[in-house]
Amino acid sequence: MASTASATAVLARRSFCSASPCARLAVSLGSAQRSSSCAASNCRRSFVSWSWPRVAVASRSVPRGNFIFLSENVASVRGIHGAQAGRRGAAVMASSSSSSASPVGTIVSEPSTPVDNSSAGDSVEPLTWRASIDFKGIRENKEAIAANIINRKSTGDVELVVELYEQSVRLSMEVDKLRAERNAVASAMKGKLEQAKRQELITQGKELKERLAGLEVSLAQLSDKLQREGQRIPNMTHPSVPIGSEDVATVRKQVGEKPVFTFPVKTHVDLGQDLDLLDFESAAEVSGNKFYYLKNEAVLLEMALINWTLSELIKRGFTPLTTPDLVRSSVVEKCGFQPRGQNTQVYSVEDTDLCLAGTAEIPVGGMYMDSMLTEASLPLRIVAFSHCFRTEAGAAGAATRGLYRVHQFSKLEMFAICQPEDSEALHEELISIEEELYTSLGLHFKTLDMSSEDLGAPAYRKYDVEAWMPGLDRYGEVSSASNCTDYQSRRLNIRYRPEHNMMRDGPKTKMPAPVFAHTLNATACAVPRMIIAILENFQQADGSVVIPEPLRPFMGGMEVIASKAKK
């Protein structure tokens, strides 16, 4: 039976009174009330319009994207979701009043399958995008996924995802059944009928319409909840990845030996001050802690690192690219990062949906969003230069001083898109390139196969390169290389159509189904960390620093950074 509940609303972009001759307008469902009077002459009817986040109608939340069409006192919910555009929602009766009192909503028909939204709460933000998650595959591999979540210490709940998916399947079948019945009634009414039979069909059609409207609202709500929970499931893990914390990471390769010094070793902070290369104090006054100025030869060193790395990667077939510093928060989320979390590493621009990119991986992935690539174009190899911005939430202590953890820095990132069967080999190629670059600079480093708890949500497997930093007296991460398989592409919708599977169907060619590509990313050069490694490893007894030979042509032939007093 019908039930009633108070509804609240806020003024939308524009609204019209429901009285003739005023126009009828679709307005979005909403949460905080404001009533207004019609601007038409001699019309004093009040109207209300709606906008997100939600309106409570008969104690049930209605998702964003629904529209109310006001016509006299009747409003019907339409456009339940972007993915269900054109479907009808629950019929709602909205009362008009000349006062500013809240309108009252009445659901004509309760859904036959109720959906529990108690966990959603009013704080849940609307879905702005949907990932192409293989829910059927999750159900079929539930045990393996549950173990993977435990191994990665993730917060995903595979049992809940499977339960919601099965509810969604059952409810979809019920909706389809009602649609078929409604269509059958509509077809039956096309012929010549007796009045009693026609009236019977009309009544039956109205009942089906009302039942279907309620079910479609429930299905949309269930679909949203399933999508949210599905997005919390991390990528699967390569079988060779060590299980556990960062401490169990295994060494894949070690290059060189720790340098031996016959004099007291300085940190890069001390060297930067003595050689007039770094200014942290002025940056702290201007911008705050964890910012810095590069000066004199340090500027040339940064440019040399960038240009040398670019030249080396272009030789290897990479396409150079520069990227925007600002990206939409939805793109950040699709790449597997959390822009709004409590300890997020992402800076968000207030009152916008923009974020400062923490890595070029995000805008480069976004550039190929919603792409249908040709098989012949794969693999794509890109090297992108960008500025990176990170909050470094929770980072503190002596180990993070100086350039090691900063809020802004320059970086060259390798990004690749390939066919699924090629991603593991391409991952090995990317980490080998990193190892070759750092070897040619004369650095001592080790490459680690990172543990399951250190992978993050997107990575199937991740290698880290840690270079020896004598001044810090420890190894420090200078780069990483991750194979994200189809985790990001299912969110960014990056696909390709296999050409070798095309089939002839008579005179026509049958196109194969599109396939989600695999994405990979790897640090080519994170400038501040590389400056640390160069200054600390190549310092001399007289306080100078020898420039690695590959960088010298990019610094005008300079071989040594010497004290200004000795020049």
Side-chain angles (χ1 to χ4, degrees), residues 209-508:
K209 178 180 178 181
E210 291 168 0
R211 289 174 58 198
L212 183 59
L215 285 179
E216 286 181 324
V217 170
S218 291
L219 183 59
Q221 294 171 338
L222 184 59
S223 176
D224 279 2
K225 190 169 184 179
L226 174 60
Q227 180 67 207
R228 290 182 197 282
E229 294 298 328
Q231 289 179 16
R232 294 173 58 216
I233 302 294
N235 200 352
M236 293 302 288
T237 304
H238 190 283
S240 298
V241 167
I243 304 302
S245 65
E246 185 177 356
D247 296 337
V248 302
T250 57
V251 177
R252 160 196 157 97
K253 186 176 184 179
Q254 184 161 313
V255 174
E257 301 290 339
K258 294 180 183 179
V260 177
F261 298 96
T262 58
F263 54 88
V265 177
K266 296 180 180 179
T267 68
H268 71 281
V269 176
D270 295 331
L271 289 163
Q273 291 174 344
D274 294 346
L275 297 174
D276 197 21
L277 303 176
L278 307 172
D279 187 345
F280 295 101
E281 291 183 3
S282 297
E285 292 292 329
V286 173
S287 305
N289 291 329
K290 298 186 184 298
F291 288 93
Y292 59 94
Y293 285 99
L294 294 182
K295 300 168 62 179
N296 301 311
E297 291 91 341
V299 178
L300 301 180
L301 183 57
E302 174 172 26
M303 299 304 172
L305 283 165
I306 292 167
N307 286 306
W308 170 71
T309 306
L310 268 177
S311 66
E312 290 298 314
L313 291 174
I314 290 171
K315 292 176 188 176
R316 291 168 168 83
F318 284 75
T319 300
L321 185 73
T322 61
T323 67
D325 290 338
L326 288 166
V327 293
R328 297 189 187 278
S329 59
S330 59
V331 179
V332 177
E333 292 171 355
K334 290 175 184 180
C335 289
F337 300 91
Q338 298 300 320
R340 311 292 181 188
Q342 186 175 2
N343 293 316
T344 181
Q345 295 295 315
V346 181
Y347 284 108
S348 295
V349 181
E350 191 173 6
D351 297 327
T352 75
D353 69 339
L354 294 174
C355 302
L356 287 167
T359 170
E361 167 192 348
I362 297 169
V364 177
M367 187 172 72
Y368 289 93
M369 185 167 54
D370 298 323
S371 293
M372 181 66 73
L373 305 171
T374 62
E375 184 179 26
S377 69
L378 301 178
L380 294 174
R381 293 178 175 86
I382 297 157
V383 54
F385 171 77
S386 73
H387 302 109
C388 304
F389 303 86
R390 300 181 185 179
T391 66
E392 293 297 350
T400 65
R401 69 189 290 257
L403 293 175
Y404 195 80
R405 290 201 184 278
V406 290
H407 291 311
Q408 177 183 343
F409 59 95
S410 301
K411 180 162 71 82
L412 281 165
E413 183 82 1
M414 294 181 281
F415 190 87
I417 303 175
C418 68
Q419 298 177 62
E421 59 268 27
D422 296 334
S423 66
E424 290 199 43
L426 190 52
H427 192 207
E428 295 298 319
E429 176 186 328
L430 293 178
I431 189 60
S432 295
I433 289 173
E434 291 182 358
E435 292 167 343
E436 290 169 10
L437 292 175
Y438 307 144
T439 299
S440 66
L441 290 176
L443 297 176
H444 164 53
F445 64 88
K446 59 183 179 181
T447 304
L448 303 176
D449 194 349
M450 299 309 293
S451 65
S452 58
E453 293 179 16
D454 198 55
L455 295 179
Y460 173 66
R461 191 177 196 179
K462 180 166 77 89
Y463 296 124
D464 278 2
V465 176
E466 295 185 351
W468 177 247
M469 298 177 177
L472 298 178
D473 194 31
R474 66 182 178 87
Y475 290 94
E477 181 188 343
V478 293
S479 71
S480 64
S482 299
N483 181 2
C484 298
T485 62
D486 63 354
Y487 182 92
Q488 292 177 330
S489 63
R490 284 182 175 274
R491 288 154 174 75
L492 292 164
N493 192 29
I494 303 174
R495 300 178 295 168
Y496 73 97
R497 196 180 298 277
E499 297 170 359
H500 61 278
N501 287 335
M502 291 186 180
M503 300 171 59
R504 298 291 297 181
D505 185 10
K508 297 181 180 180

Side-chain angles (χ1 to χ4, degrees), residues 521-535:
N521 62 84
T523 310
C525 178
V527 171
R529 300 277 177 96
M530 294 303 295
I531 289 178
I532 293 174
I534 289 171
L535 293 181

Side-chain angles (χ1 to χ4, degrees), residues 139-152:
R139 182 176 64 179
E140 293 172 349
N141 298 279
K142 182 175 66 173
E143 291 77 12
I145 292 171
N148 182 60
I149 289 172
I150 293 172
N151 290 339
R152 296 171 77 119

